[in-house]
Amino acid sequence: MTKAPVRKPVPATRSTVSLKLLMAVTGLLLVAFLFAHMTGNLKLFVGPENFDHYAHWLRTLGTPLLPETWYLWIQRAGLTVALIGHIAAATILARRARKARPVRYAHRPKVQGSYAARTMRWGGVIVLLFVIYHILDLTTGTVNPAGGDSEPSARVIADFAPGRWYVTLFYTLAIVAVGLHLRHGIFSAVRTLGQRSPRGERRARQAALVLSLVLVIGYLSVPFAVLTGLVG
Amino acid sequence: MELWENGDPIRDEAAPDGPIETRWERRRFSAKLVNPANRRKLSVIVVGTGLAGGSAAATLAEAGYRVRSYCYQDSPRRAHSIAAQGGINAAKNYRNDGDSVYRLFYDTVKGGDFRARESNVYRLAEVSVNIIDQCVAQGVPFAREYGGLLDNRSFGGTQVSRTFYARGQTGQQLLLGAYQAMERQIAAGNIEMHARHEMLELIVVDGRARGIVVRDLVTGEITTDLADAVVLASGGYGNVFFLSTNAKGCNVTATWRAHRKGALFANPCYTQIHPTCIPESGTHQSKLTLMSESLRNDGRVWVPLSASDKRPPGDIPEDERDYYLERIYPSFGNLVPRDIASRAAKNVCDEGRGVGPGGLGVYLDFADAIERLGVKAVEAKYGNLFEMYQRITGEDPYQVPMRIYPAVHYTMGGLWVDYDLQSTIPGLFVIGEANFSDHGANRLGASALMQGLADGYFVLPNTINNYLAGGPFGDISDRPEVASALSSVESRVQKLLDVDGDRTVDSFHRELGHIMWEYCGMERTEEGLTKAIGLIRGLRDEFWTRVKVPGTGEQLNQNLEKAGRVADFFELAELMCIDALHRAESAGGHFRAESQTPDGEALRHDDEFSYVAAWAFSAEGRPTLHKEDLDFEYVHPSTRSYK
Amino acid sequence: MDIQVRVWRQDGPSDKGRMVSYDVKDISPDASFLEMLDVLNEKLILDGDDPVAFDHDCREGICGMCGMMINGVAHGPERATTTCQLHMRHFSDGDVIDVEPWRAAAFPVIKDLVVDRGAFDSIIQAGGYISAPTGTAPDAHATPVPKADADAAFEAATCIGCGACVAACPNGSSMLFTAAKVSHLGLLPQGQPERDSRVLDMIAAQDEAGFGGCTNAGECTTVCPKGIPLTLIGRLNADYRNALRKG
Ligand SMILES: Cc1cc2nc3c(=O)[nH]c(=O)nc-3n(C[C@H](O)[C@H](O)[C@H](O)COP(=O)(O)OP(=O)(O)OC[C@H]3O[C@@H](n4cnc5c(N)ncnc54)[C@H](O)[C@@H]3O)c2cc1C
Ligand code: HEM
Ligand code: FES
């Protein structure tokens, strides 16, 4: 009898389910960060000074227990580890999935399930590219027109100046990608962590939709406010 | 020329006598045991993974024997038992409604129209209670009541509620239980499973069954497998009719090959025809679908009073309808037993009053039930069945009455076995629907599942020890019988491929089915059966000169598989007709038009026919009849009456 | 009605395979999809061609033997329906219908539309059972089971193991199949002693067989002929997490 190709035994810590658990935990950590980050961003609406003050406060967070900026570095390290864990797991699982279907269907209707669920991987890659750019842009200032020594609010405002519409466009695309990623991702994470009632499923899906909408609107409000001159 | 010869009577030598309540216990005590250390040296082949074969393989492996299992499907979980819907009987008396082992025994002997062995039936009733315990322990999700205890229903017109069920999927759930027990033993290395393998020959050496010849259905490779004993659990042969409620692959090949090697075939003509099936819709029809019998609890069966009435059912006024079951059988009404309901449907259709395509159907009407109970209640009870009906026919049974017609459903006949379930070939055991043992001329609803699991979990694992205690039986791989069995299969396969004619296998099978349904179906006559034998012989000759089997033997070749099965069906069909012809009485599923009461009911002749007809194969086409007399010490034969 | 089918033809496991078109004329709308293929095969045989191989047995939607991708959808356009229970009345005269086998590394093609689903058996072997050797059972009423649990266990146990979930899953994952068995046994008191080892071992077997991981996309439950719900995957995940925690 023909035999299916048998892979090596996979230890429980690297099983598909364990890797998914890792993705869910790291993903939710990143989501929590995104919300905190968004709250900070929205301070721009209160006024550039308020925003800059917040940016400074971040650097002093944890003092005097910790020396200055230590907390921020710990958080960055934590987020980076989470992101790397998340991406590593995603990559391993994506490769396993590809191997699991070596021959594609000749006839495949575009999408039967949710569109968001089908775009997790590509959406994730777009988000990653954006994150890298975003750090170089607003954290280190390397690629920011206002330069690395400027105040944070100045960098933001310089970034989304009407002349640099392409930056805003890329930013928008990336945020929408994050939104789509999380529209499925938040539900998926809850399910991966063991959610199992039909009512809970409806709630988790609704929550995922609402939370990702809030994130998208929250994040997009800043560049559009700059673009339209509401802030600046 | 005579169609058959009369041989010597036979006896069930393994059956204990004495008080019926202790026979099984005494047989278990007198049977030899096998030392656990020796069991690993003994191997058993089990053909079939249905309820009977699956439960036997798991239990024998647990006991320590080396088991090798075979099935033709791609997984043991798909055996035909999976399709059973209604339920499984057990004398638990959980309802405290007067049920007991004795009552189940009594009902089964009577239901079988006094053509079954009392000892076997009593044992079946006795172990029925253990089956439910075993299945619950395995995790079979039977229906439960709000208190958490098992639910029961009454089934097939019995007066006690002794049927355990799992929605409409009882067979599936029971089979998955046995399958999972098997998989556990496969993982433990105690069972070697060969799915997609078909047994094509039995190997008999020194008078003992010692192995089988199998074809790997994927590669086409034909090999032998040798063991100390062979168990056949290959199911029933209803597919000889082409259209039946059986799965498409159900076949007689395993048992027929054993019959050709010397095992007697008992009561082949006893066929159960189920009254509530969805009628044929056209020439493309490939099988028939059973609708649960429970529908008759609330549905009313009718046809138009006049044969010329071709109006749609809704336009036929109440007084121009004939609720014929209620009219003829006022006390049982729509709930008369299967054989009676089936024949009544045939009669009204023969009068030209049938409905639907070809006039082969009667209405099963829920209008009254819907009015009485409301759509909601009817939906709660029968929703999934209504849905199934609608999916198949495209008609909505809430709006228009269902159309139903009888279809072949179960075969009571099978290889003759003694009390130990051993055939006339030592070392060949036969269990489940494949044997003839417990149902006499007619099987009660929810009793086949019971018998399959009784045989596999509890009876065979006890009785086979007595035989295996004499083993191991030595190495026979060099014996000429082994090589000749292998080469006979190879040449038969080649012969089928070589005909290369101009008719497909299915066209022959369909035609054979027509002949059987017409002359050996619900009503049989001497004239019809004699004619049928001639027709079958003619068609069989034509088969061997005109059949076209495409492809080769060295690959997956589904037409080659079918061709082999149909070839064996031809031979079986002839024996069925001969058996039906010789039994000039009506009993259970066998209705001879010559033997009926003035008002058209079945008429038994206990003085002449109170025996099991066990047939020996003859290559010249003249089988020999061996009679096993039936004694009734406990349940005295009476006339079944449902008027 | 007249239709055209484009069927995946593959001579054997090592053949490359291709789609081939056939005209099927005069099909009754009451015929089932498999009966339509029967009619096609009768014609192919008489024309001296190789008939299309496809798996089937009960033709009642319960054995789980049949299954093919019909226009890219596992078991075709009707919800909660196996291929054998799909009828031609759901298609129209002149339709072109694409028919392909289940595609997954763990389900290699044997011939045409026939695949080897033995990997499902190996998942069950790893732990999809309750160890209750024959003869050891207490009375069936010894342990009452709350009706809600019994019903939920039954619901999960209705899986027919056809493989449509794997075929439809963008990741070729068998999570719904495994989750159904883990849930069925895990919901019953009899299934508790082996609950932890069962889920760990079955997932290990599933990974080893080469199935992909679940991304909760839900295409499996959409095509499942028995409507096994996605929530069972959550139940499996919870069991798995508990089992991991206990070590
Ligand atoms: C639609 C339907 C509904 C039913 N409902 C009920 C019910 O509600 N209650 C009840 O009690 N009974 C019911 N029955 C009857 C009952 O299901 C069967 O009688 C019973 O399941 C038979 O079990 P078995 O183990 O003997 O054989 P099967 O389940 O038929 O198994 C036969 C096995 O043998 C294998 N096999 C066959 N031939 C070969 C070969 N040549 N080589 C290798 N392997 C082979 C097959 O692969 C299979 O594994 C129903 C039957 C039908 C058709
Ligand atoms: C801001 C960054 C990110 C956040 C907040 C985030 C969040 C999440 C969450 C919550 C999940 C669900 C986990 C689960 O299914 O259990 C998830 C899944 C996933 N993420 Fe991310 N992610 C981020 C970045 C990325 C990046 C950069 C990639 C890829 C390169 C990526 C790829 C994936 C993939 C493939 C999945 C699994 C698909 C699925 O579950 O359906 N993610 N992500
Ligand atoms: S053939 Fe059995 S489910 Fe379709």
Side-chain angles (χ1 to χ4, degrees):
Chain A
M1 200 187 258
T2 52
K3 275 276 165 275
V6 175
R7 308 268 142 88
K8 284 196 298 283
V10 185
T13 47
R14 260 177 290 147
S15 73
T16 40
V17 179
S18 296
L19 290 173
K20 272 309 292 276
L21 273 168
L22 176 66
M23 288 191 69
V25 173
T26 53
L28 289 181
L29 207 76
L30 293 169
V31 170
F33 164 72
L34 285 185
F35 270 94
H37 186 24
M38 180 182 76
T39 320
N41 288 0
L42 293 178
K43 288 188 179 291
L44 205 60
F45 286 100
V46 185
E49 315 73 42
N50 192 297
F51 183 74
D52 294 336
H53 177 244
Y54 152 75
H56 280 289
W57 170 77
L58 272 182
R59 277 160 182 75
T60 56
L61 198 67
T63 53
L65 187 63
L66 298 172
E68 198 156 301
T69 72
W70 271 47
Y71 168 78
L72 201 59
W73 280 109
I74 292 172
Q75 177 181 316
R76 281 178 184 154
L79 287 175
T80 311
V81 169
L83 192 65
I84 290 175
H86 190 84
I87 295 172
T91 313
I92 298 173
L93 287 176
R95 280 175 47 193
R96 283 192 197 166
R98 215 186 358 261
K99 266 203 220 151
R101 166 135 331 113
V103 184
R104 285 168 191 280
Y105 290 107
H107 183 134
R108 188 74 174 145
K110 270 188 243 47
V111 174
Q112 296 167 68
S114 106
Y115 187 73
R118 282 298 197 96
T119 52
M120 289 306 276
R121 288 181 192 130
W122 277 112
V125 172
I126 295 177
V127 174
L128 176 66
L129 291 177
F130 172 72
V131 168
I132 295 170
Y133 167 78
H134 190 65
I135 292 173
L136 293 177
D137 176 13
L138 291 175
T139 310
T140 67
T142 321
V143 295
N144 190 280
D149 307 325
S150 51
E151 280 295 314
S153 61
R155 281 184 233 163
V156 173
I157 292 166
D159 229 354
F160 300 119
R164 284 165 49 91
W165 56 270
Y166 46 90
V167 172
T168 313
L169 182 68
F170 178 45
Y171 183 90
T172 308
L173 278 178
I175 293 298
V176 170
V178 171
L180 274 177
H181 191 83
L182 296 185
R183 171 162 160 44
H184 179 68
I186 293 175
F187 156 70
S188 182
V190 173
R191 173 57 40 92
T192 301
L193 290 170
Q195 184 289 319
R196 61 193 193 193
S197 73
R199 184 136 63 87
E201 172 169 334
R202 272 196 302 281
R203 286 212 192 122
R205 285 189 194 275
Q206 279 161 3
L209 179 63
V210 171
L211 290 178
S212 17
L213 270 177
V214 168
L215 275 181
V216 170
I217 294 169
Y219 276 100
L220 288 187
S221 62
V222 174
F224 280 92
V226 174
L227 194 69
T228 54
L230 203 69
V231 176
Chain B
M1 189 182 102
E2 277 290 335
L3 285 164
W4 73 88
E5 267 171 47
N6 287 311
D8 297 332
I10 52 163
R11 257 175 55 83
D12 175 2
E13 305 288 351
D17 43 23
I20 199 158
E21 298 80 9
T22 58
R23 282 181 194 169
W24 176 225
E25 198 184 322
R26 278 181 289 122
R27 177 61 194 137
R28 270 182 300 167
F29 182 71
S30 66
K32 281 178 240 146
L33 296 178
V34 181
N35 172 337
N38 285 342
R39 293 189 197 150
R40 291 231 55 82
K41 297 179 199 140
L42 292 159
S43 55
V44 180
I45 290 170
V46 181
V47 180
T49 58
L51 287 182
S55 57
T59 307
L60 291 173
E62 284 161 10
Y65 294 114
R66 288 197 355 255
V67 177
R68 289 190 294 278
S69 276
Y70 290 86
C71 71
Y72 68 75
Q73 293 92 344
D74 72 331
S75 163
R77 67 179 288 152
R78 304 198 204 284
H80 170 59
S81 294
I82 200 104
Q85 305 171 350
I88 176 165
N89 289 332
K92 279 285 197 185
N93 194 26
Y94 279 158
R95 284 306 175 90
N96 199 21
D97 56 2
D99 198 14
S100 62
V101 167
Y102 198 88
R103 186 177 296 281
L104 177 54
F105 156 68
Y106 177 91
D107 287 351
T108 307
V109 171
K110 179 172 175 224
D113 222 358
F114 305 96
R115 291 292 174 265
R117 284 186 198 140
E118 284 189 332
S119 299
N120 286 54
V121 176
Y122 193 89
R123 174 177 65 189
L124 176 64
E126 205 179 334
V127 300
S128 69
V129 296
N130 304 340
I131 295 173
I132 303 302
D133 299 342
Q134 177 61 29
C135 294
V136 166
Q138 286 172 342
V140 171
F142 283 119
R144 287 180 184 263
E145 299 173 325
Y146 284 97
L149 300 178
L150 295 166
D151 194 14
N152 290 132
R153 59 184 176 200
S154 127
F155 200 73
T158 51
Q159 284 153 317
V160 291
S161 288
R162 62 160 77 100
T163 305
F164 295 77
Y165 65 100
R167 199 98 37 101
Q169 279 125 284
T170 316
Q172 178 193 31
Q173 295 309 321
L174 296 173
L175 183 62
L176 292 181
Y179 158 75
Q180 287 162 200
M182 258 188 100
E183 291 296 336
R184 175 168 167 260
Q185 293 304 314
I186 293 171
N190 300 330
I191 300 179
E192 208 180 279
M193 181 67 223
H194 300 274
R196 289 200 200 269
H197 276 69
E198 185 167 26
M199 165 185 167
L200 295 176
E201 194 57 274
L202 180 73
I203 298 174
V204 181
V205 177
D206 297 333
R208 292 178 192 276
R210 290 301 308 276
I212 59 176
V213 180
V214 289
R215 180 167 177 271
D216 179 332
L217 301 181
V218 174
T219 63
E221 197 186 353
I222 298 171
T223 51
T224 57
D225 185 6
L226 306 176
D228 294 296
V230 176
V231 179
L232 297 186
S234 52
Y237 50 83
N239 273 353
V240 65
F241 291 86
F242 185 71
L243 288 182
S244 83
T245 64
N246 288 7
K248 289 293 285 175
C250 289
N251 67 88
V252 77
T253 293
T255 46
W256 192 258
R257 292 286 129 191
H259 173 57
R260 292 183 59 118
K261 283 282 168 93
L264 300 187
F265 207 114
N267 300 334
C269 79
Y270 291 155
T271 316
Q272 182 165 84
I273 302 202
H274 199 290
T276 49
C277 300
I278 301 178
E280 250 183 274
S281 67
T283 51
H284 54 262
Q285 193 84 30
S286 61
K287 77 153 280 171
L288 295 168
T289 303
L290 174 77
M291 301 288 291
S292 167
E293 196 153 30
S294 64
L295 288 169
R296 286 197 283 143
N297 289 335
D298 287 301
R300 297 179 70 196
V301 177
W302 66 275
V303 289
L305 258 182
S306 144
S308 58
D309 192 344
K310 297 295 169 218
R311 289 173 288 178
D315 295 351
I316 302 180
E318 205 55 27
D319 60 351
E320 292 177 45
R321 299 175 175 191
D322 180 11
Y323 294 91
Y324 58 89
L325 288 178
E326 296 168 23
R327 172 171 60 80
I328 311 174
Y329 308 99
S331 60
F332 278 76
N334 295 297
L335 290 173
V336 291
R338 292 176 179 176
D339 51 339
I340 294 185
S342 294
R343 212 166 55 250
K346 174 181 163 35
N347 290 341
V348 295
C349 292
D350 287 351
E351 290 162 18
R353 298 195 285 146
V355 299
L360 293 177
V362 299
Y363 291 124
L364 179 63
D365 198 336
F366 285 83
D368 283 357
I370 291 174
E371 204 178 297
R372 183 162 39 90
L373 308 165
V375 175
K376 274 258 166 321
V378 171
E379 193 186 333
K381 262 177 143 168
Y382 306 112
N384 56 347
L385 293 168
F386 279 30
E387 229 176 84
M388 176 167 109
Y389 181 84
Q390 180 157 22
R391 190 174 305 141
I392 293 174
T393 61
E395 292 173 4
D396 177 5
Y398 293 101
Q399 307 295 332
V400 253
M402 284 183 178
R403 286 174 297 109
I404 55 167
Y405 199 64
V408 173
H409 176 57
Y410 182 88
T411 49
M412 279 74 68
L415 289 184
W416 185 91
V417 288
D418 62 13
Y419 190 72
D420 283 355
L421 304 181
Q422 186 165 216
S423 72
T424 45
I425 302 177
L428 179 69
F429 293 79
V430 191
I431 59 178
E433 194 175 338
N435 73 23
F436 88 107
S437 69
D438 296 353
H439 306 294
N442 177 48
R443 172 178 71 78
L444 289 182
S447 287
L449 303 183
M450 170 171 71
Q451 184 225 334
L453 290 180
D455 287 1
Y457 281 133
F458 299 108
V459 180
L460 178 84
N462 281 295
T463 58
I464 201 171
N465 294 330
N466 190 56
Y467 178 78
L468 288 171
F473 297 103
D475 182 13
I476 51 156
S477 44
D478 294 339
R479 297 287 294 268
E481 293 93 331
V482 178
S484 73
L486 182 69
S487 64
S488 76
V489 171
E490 286 166 345
S491 59
R492 187 151 42 97
V493 166
Q494 200 49 50
K495 196 169 151 200
L496 285 167
L497 289 163
D498 286 346
V499 178
D500 196 24
D502 58 357
R503 271 189 75 174
T504 63
V505 177
D506 270 357
S507 79
F508 280 105
H509 196 176
R510 246 176 229 283
E511 192 173 336
L512 174 66
H514 276 299
I515 298 172
M516 291 303 284
W517 181 245
E518 195 56 34
Y519 303 109
C520 197
M522 277 183 281
E523 189 175 301
R524 299 145 178 198
T525 62
E526 183 177 344
E527 189 195 339
L529 290 163
T530 315
K531 179 167 170 199
I533 292 169
L535 289 173
I536 293 167
R537 288 178 175 170
L539 191 63
R540 185 177 60 205
D541 291 344
E542 190 179 332
F543 175 84
W544 285 107
T545 50
R546 283 187 60 192
V547 73
K548 183 170 181 75
V549 181
T552 71
E554 285 86 48
Q555 56 174 171
L556 177 75
N557 187 339
Q558 295 171 320
N559 279 279
L560 180 59
E561 296 164 27
K562 281 198 257 186
R565 293 171 193 160
V566 172
D568 289 333
F569 277 139
F570 274 118
E571 298 182 10
L572 165 79
E574 191 175 320
L575 185 67
M576 284 173 76
C577 291
I578 292 175
D579 186 42
L581 188 62
H582 110 280
R583 191 169 283 278
E585 66 160 350
S586 299
H590 168 64
F591 186 84
R592 278 288 295 269
E594 299 91 340
S595 179
Q596 50 182 310
T597 62
D599 48 0
E601 297 304 328
L603 185 62
R604 283 199 326 262
H605 296 296
D606 291 337
D607 45 343
E608 270 183 275
F609 291 104
S610 184
Y611 61 77
V612 173
W615 297 91
F617 179 77
S618 108
E620 291 77 47
R622 230 152 69 93
T624 309
L625 171 65
H626 300 277
K627 297 178 183 174
E628 178 200 337
D629 277 328
L630 292 169
D631 300 322
F632 293 92
E633 294 174 57
Y634 293 86
V635 188
H636 293 290
S638 58
T639 306
R640 290 197 307 159
S641 170
Y642 296 93
K643 288 245 152 126
Chain C
M1 57 201 250
D2 297 343
I3 53 156
Q4 192 185 64
V5 281
R6 290 199 302 221
V7 187
W8 181 261
R9 301 306 309 265
Q10 180 175 341
D11 218 30
S14 50
D15 182 28
K16 240 175 80 64
R18 69 237 152 259
M19 298 292 277
V20 180
S21 298
Y22 301 100
D23 289 322
V24 187
K25 300 230 180 303
D26 231 3
I27 281 291
S28 156
D30 287 329
S32 72
F33 198 82
L34 298 186
E35 285 166 346
M36 181 274 291
L37 290 179
D38 289 344
V39 171
L40 168 64
N41 277 344
E42 290 286 288
K43 180 169 166 290
L44 290 179
I45 295 171
L46 294 179
D47 290 351
D49 289 332
D50 191 28
V52 180
F54 60 92
D55 263 334
H56 64 101
D57 201 25
C58 74
R59 297 205 176 187
E60 279 189 19
I62 192 74
C63 73
M65 188 99 172
C66 67
M68 46 194 85
M69 288 303 244
I70 300 171
N71 284 338
V73 181
H75 288 307
E78 275 290 285
R79 281 255 178 146
T81 303
T82 53
T83 304
C84 60
Q85 292 287 75
L86 173 68
H87 284 74
M88 295 309 291
R89 65 179 80 90
H90 299 294
F91 298 90
S92 317
D93 192 49
D95 276 0
V96 178
I97 307 171
D98 285 341
V99 189
E100 295 174 76
W102 289 167
R103 293 218 180 276
F107 289 171
V109 173
I110 293 174
K111 186 173 196 284
D112 299 339
L113 305 173
V114 177
V115 300
D116 178 0
R117 284 168 292 201
F120 269 5
D121 292 325
S122 63
I123 294 177
I124 299 295
Q125 273 158 37
Y129 49 74
I130 290 171
S131 299
T134 307
T136 57
D139 185 86
H141 269 178
T143 319
V145 182
K147 184 169 167 58
D149 288 348
D151 287 352
F154 172 81
E155 219 59 72
T158 56
C159 166
I160 58 174
C162 63
C165 47
V166 174
C169 175
N171 309 306
S173 174
S174 58
M175 268 296 254
L176 195 65
F177 170 80
T178 308
K181 190 47 66 191
V182 165
S183 303
H184 158 209
L185 301 176
L187 275 158
L188 296 170
Q190 291 82 3
Q192 297 314 309
E194 292 160 303
R195 187 163 170 180
D196 294 338
S197 58
R198 174 180 307 123
V199 68
L200 293 175
D201 294 346
M202 288 178 77
I203 289 296
Q206 160 176 317
D207 286 352
E208 201 173 319
F211 291 104
C214 172
T215 57
N216 302 310
E219 308 227 355
C220 49
T221 185
T222 315
V223 300
C224 175
K226 298 297 149 181
I228 304 287
L230 201 60
T231 44
L232 299 188
I233 291 182
R235 186 172 278 285
L236 179 151
N237 288 330
D239 278 10
Y240 196 86
R241 198 157 46 86
N242 279 332
L244 272 186
R245 209 188 45 224
K246 292 189 211 159

